[in-house]
């Protein structure tokens, strides 16, 4: 590689703005890795939370590079990488470190971007898609049926609380591709958005009677569980009460959450209801990762059944714009993803 690498560094816990400076050239990729020249990156709430609180990053890891979502061009591949080659356009999910010009990533959470999708669109997906997939399909969470390109309705309904969030947006689309009916909970202004993604029922999270309305509407349906895509103990408690009312066995008296393992839910839990935890990239260690990233995602994007949602809002060009993106995510977004063009 000839071009100089640069990164937007978090120099110390809670420091702001990020410092854009030269970064080391990436080492040659190991056998399972590839190097991507970033064209567009997206910001996640966790990036903003880490910058604001200093959580997760040990003191010795500074200066630190945030960022999990990248789309760009492959510039080098390791000896075992057969799914992509230099010159391919790809999207990828990294554990962290995407806020730089050259990203070294494991091949497991990488796939080609079809021609009909722009880099600024593709980069909205990676972490939100992975997180939703873990919550819905992993054996230690809801363990639902996996998505297929020829989706076959199975007549079962899943409640997706937080349908307009980035994770929920992916969750609705994954559930439809897996054959489920979806009942989405979102703000009123995003009800049409959720329906356009495929939601069969929508509920307003601000309604005082939302729990009652959900239970009344779904009580005669074949119920498959709750995915709570909002990190709130009160909402998880509400989801647990709903699962208690609508579920009739241990599999559907279950709330898959976006709480990371270790963030133990301490709230009330009706007898017989269980909670699942999610670590966004754990699917690369089990059958869910290949089912989504190797078999389903690229053709689903190419045929339009999977959409790059929430829509990107491009806040700037160049790594200098990443801080503006972090600030915007920290102040809250609704049904949109904050994106920075890199090249
Ligand atoms: N465990 C992990 O590995 C992992 C990985 C990634 C993300 N996460 C977590 O997952 C959560 C979602 O992330 P994200 O990127 O999807 O967030 P996001 O897109 O920034 O979430 C914003 C959305 O949340 C919705 N929302 C807020 N309060 C709500 C409520 N009471 N009921 C229903 N919807 C509500 C808003 O919907 P309206 O505008 O319609 O009100 C808004 O569209 C975050 O807490 C994040 O930290 C965890």
């Amino acid at each position: 590689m000839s071009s100089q690498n640069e990164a937007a560094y978090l120099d110390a816990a809670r420091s702001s703005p990020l410092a854009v400076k030269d970064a080391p050239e990436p080492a040659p990729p190991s056998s399972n890795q590839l190097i991507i020249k970033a064209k567009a990156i997206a910001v996640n709430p966790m990036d903003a939370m880490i910058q604001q609180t200093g959580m997760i990053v040990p003191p010795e890891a500074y200066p630190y590079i945030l960022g999990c979502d990248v789309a760009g061009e492959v510039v080098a591949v390791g000896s075992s990488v057969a799914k992509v080659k230099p010159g391919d356009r790809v999207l990828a999910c990294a554990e962290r470190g995407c806020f730089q010009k050259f990203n070294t990533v494991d091949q497991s959470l990488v796939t080609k971007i079809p021609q009909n999708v722009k880099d600024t669109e593709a980069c909205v997906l990676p972490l939100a898609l992975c997180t939703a997939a873990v919550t819905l399909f992993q054996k230690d969470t809801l363990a639902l049926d996996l998505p297929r390109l020829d989706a076959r309705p199975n007549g079962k309904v899943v409640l997706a609380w937080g349908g307009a969030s980035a994770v929920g947006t992916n969750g609705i689309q994954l559930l439809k591709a897996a054959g489920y009916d979806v009942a989405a909970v979102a703000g009123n202004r995003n009800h049409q958005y959720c329906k356009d993604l495929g939601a069969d029922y929508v509920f307003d999270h601000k309604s005082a009677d939302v729990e009652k309305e959900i239970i009344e509407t779904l009580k005669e349906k074949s119920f498959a569980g709750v995915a709570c895509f909002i990190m709130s103990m009160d909402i998880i408690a509400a989801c647990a009460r709903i699962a208690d009312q609508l579920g009739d066995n241990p599999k559907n008296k279950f709330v898959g959450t976006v709480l990371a393992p270790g963030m133990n839910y301490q709230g009330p839990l009706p007898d017989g209801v269980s909670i699942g935890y999610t670590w966004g990239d754990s699917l690369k260690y089990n059958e869910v990762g290949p089912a989504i990233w190797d078999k389903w995602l690229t053709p689903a994007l190419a045929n339009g059944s999977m959409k790059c949602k929430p829509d990107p809002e491009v806040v700037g060009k160049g790594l200098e714009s990443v801080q503006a993106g972090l600030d915007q995510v920290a102040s809250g977004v609704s049904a949109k993803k904050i994106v920075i063009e890199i090249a």
Side-chain angles (χ1 to χ4, degrees), residues 69-330:
D69 292 344
V70 60
E73 183 187 327
V74 178
V75 292
V77 296
S79 56
S80 309
V81 176
K83 66 202 254 189
V84 295
K85 59 183 185 319
D88 285 344
R89 292 172 61 231
V90 294
L91 66 152
C93 187
E95 200 169 344
R96 302 243 179 269
C98 281
F99 295 165
Q100 60 182 315
K101 284 187 175 172
F102 292 96
N103 282 269
T104 302
V105 296
D106 186 278
Q107 67 164 326
S108 51
L109 304 181
V110 173
T111 197
K112 285 187 198 171
I113 302 173
Q115 271 188 342
N116 55 319
V117 175
K118 297 179 194 159
D119 296 320
T120 48
E121 295 168 334
C123 75
V124 307
L125 293 177
L127 182 64
L129 172 73
C130 286
T131 305
V134 171
T135 306
L136 297 172
F137 306 122
Q138 219 167 264
K139 294 268 193 298
D140 56 348
T141 58
L142 279 161
L144 299 173
D145 299 338
L146 286 161
R148 318 166 43 116
L149 289 166
D150 57 339
R152 295 178 191 169
N154 61 22
K156 297 177 194 165
V157 64
V158 175
L159 179 67
W161 197 303
S165 69
V167 181
T169 292
N170 280 274
I172 293 173
Q173 297 192 86
L174 286 166
L175 283 165
K176 294 308 293 182
Y180 293 90
D181 286 352
V182 180
V185 186
N188 264 333
R189 64 185 162 175
N190 289 320
H191 283 186
Q192 191 57 48
Y193 171 81
C194 292
K195 285 183 188 167
D196 291 345
L197 294 169
D200 303 275
Y201 311 88
V202 283
F203 300 93
D204 178 14
H205 67 70
K206 294 210 173 97
S207 163
D209 291 327
V210 62
E211 279 181 61
K212 213 158 78 182
E213 291 160 13
I214 293 167
I215 290 164
E216 274 304 305
T217 307
L218 302 184
K219 67 183 181 200
E220 306 298 336
K221 310 282 174 201
S222 173
F223 184 68
V226 185
C228 182
F229 296 121
I230 301 299
M231 207 183 273
S232 150
M233 300 303 167
D234 288 345
I235 296 174
I236 294 170
C239 288
R241 289 190 291 272
I242 294 167
D244 183 44
Q245 293 292 309
L246 295 178
D248 57 8
N249 65 62
K251 198 164 159 22
N252 60 15
K253 276 182 180 278
F254 195 96
V255 182
T257 77
V258 291
L259 294 175
M263 296 172 91
N264 283 341
Y265 171 71
Q266 305 281 358
L269 208 52
D271 278 352
V273 176
S274 309
I275 294 283
Y277 296 87
T278 290
W279 188 247
D281 72 352
S282 60
L283 72 176
K284 70 182 174 195
Y285 304 111
N286 57 55
E287 73 292 348
V288 180
I292 304 289
W293 282 85
D294 295 345
K295 293 198 182 127
W296 178 77
L297 183 54
T298 300
L301 288 170
N303 72 21
S305 58
M306 175 68 183
K307 297 183 177 60
C308 294
K309 297 280 183 178
D311 286 333
E313 180 171 314
V314 180
V315 296
K317 190 160 184 172
L319 291 166
E320 291 75 12
S321 298
V322 175
Q323 186 59 55
L326 283 163
D327 294 343
Q328 200 158 329
V329 168

